[in-house]
Amino acid sequence: MAKSLDQWFTEYSASHQHPLNKRIHFIAVPTIYATVIALLWSIPLPEILTPFAWANIGTLSVLLIIAFYCTLSAKLSIIMLCFSGIILLVCYWLTLNSPWPLWLVALSLFIFMWILQFIGHAVEGKKPSFFKDLQFLLIGPAWVMAYLFKGLK
């Protein structure tokens, strides 16, 4: 049986109680989500599969992720679609305008944010939730958005 959004959030919240860990997560989790999309965007595909700049693994992944969020909450999926859309626009802009490759910027941020995450969990005294269930990697960004947009569920 599939878990409800409330069940996911309750389970996720159990290892995110310390105020410092929460503050770290409110910065690191959305950034990690964005960097993963950027890294996926950066994976080269054969030209025949990419008739335009938006045809890439990053955008395909966002579609699949939003489908997962749709199974949990319509409001949440709309917020995550908007957030993901902004990330995709930033990826596109950085691809055209950054002096550094998108993958390098994303990987650097990804590593730094994971270091922060592990510091937060050291303070919390609990290991990260995704060690228990990989779906928590998708629940984390939703948990942050639900907190930022109270009554989202």
Side-chain angles (χ1 to χ4, degrees):
M1 183 172 159
K3 291 182 189 179
S4 72
L5 186 58
D6 286 331
Q7 289 170 315
W8 279 116
F9 284 173
T10 298
E11 219 173 310
Y12 190 84
S13 294
S15 60
H16 301 89
Q17 296 297 308
H18 193 281
L20 178 59
N21 190 28
K22 280 185 175 181
R23 282 193 295 274
I24 288 171
H25 274 65
F26 291 147
I27 296 166
V29 167
T31 305
I32 290 168
Y33 177 77
T35 60
V36 169
I37 292 171
L39 287 167
L40 292 169
W41 175 291
S42 300
I43 296 172
L45 292 173
E47 217 173 285
I48 193 147
L49 297 176
T50 57
F52 53 95
W54 293 91
N56 59 59
I57 296 173
T59 53
L60 176 61
S61 298
V62 165
L63 294 175
L64 295 172
I65 290 166
I66 299 306
F68 169 73
Y69 289 136
C70 283
T71 67
L72 298 174
S73 162
K75 290 179 186 176
L76 173 65
S77 61
I78 291 168
I79 294 294
M80 290 306 296
L81 178 62
C82 293
F83 179 56
S84 300
I86 291 167
I87 293 166
L88 292 172
L89 286 171
V90 170
C91 287
Y92 182 70
W93 186 86
L94 286 173
T95 300
L96 297 176
N97 297 297
S98 176
W100 306 285
L102 178 61
W103 70 266
L104 183 59
V105 173
L107 183 61
S108 301
L109 271 171
F110 180 86
I111 291 168
F112 180 70
M113 289 299 146
W114 271 108
I115 291 168
L116 285 180
Q117 290 271 79
F118 284 115
I119 291 168
H121 280 287
V123 169
E124 184 82 43
K126 294 184 179 177
K127 66 182 179 181
S129 304
F130 75 88
F131 284 135
K132 181 178 177 190
D133 190 328
L134 283 176
Q135 286 180 308
F136 278 120
L137 290 172
L138 293 178
I139 296 302
W143 181 77
V144 170
M145 292 300 159
Y147 184 85
L148 294 175
F149 298 92
K150 299 280 188 212
L152 178 75
K153 301 185 251 179

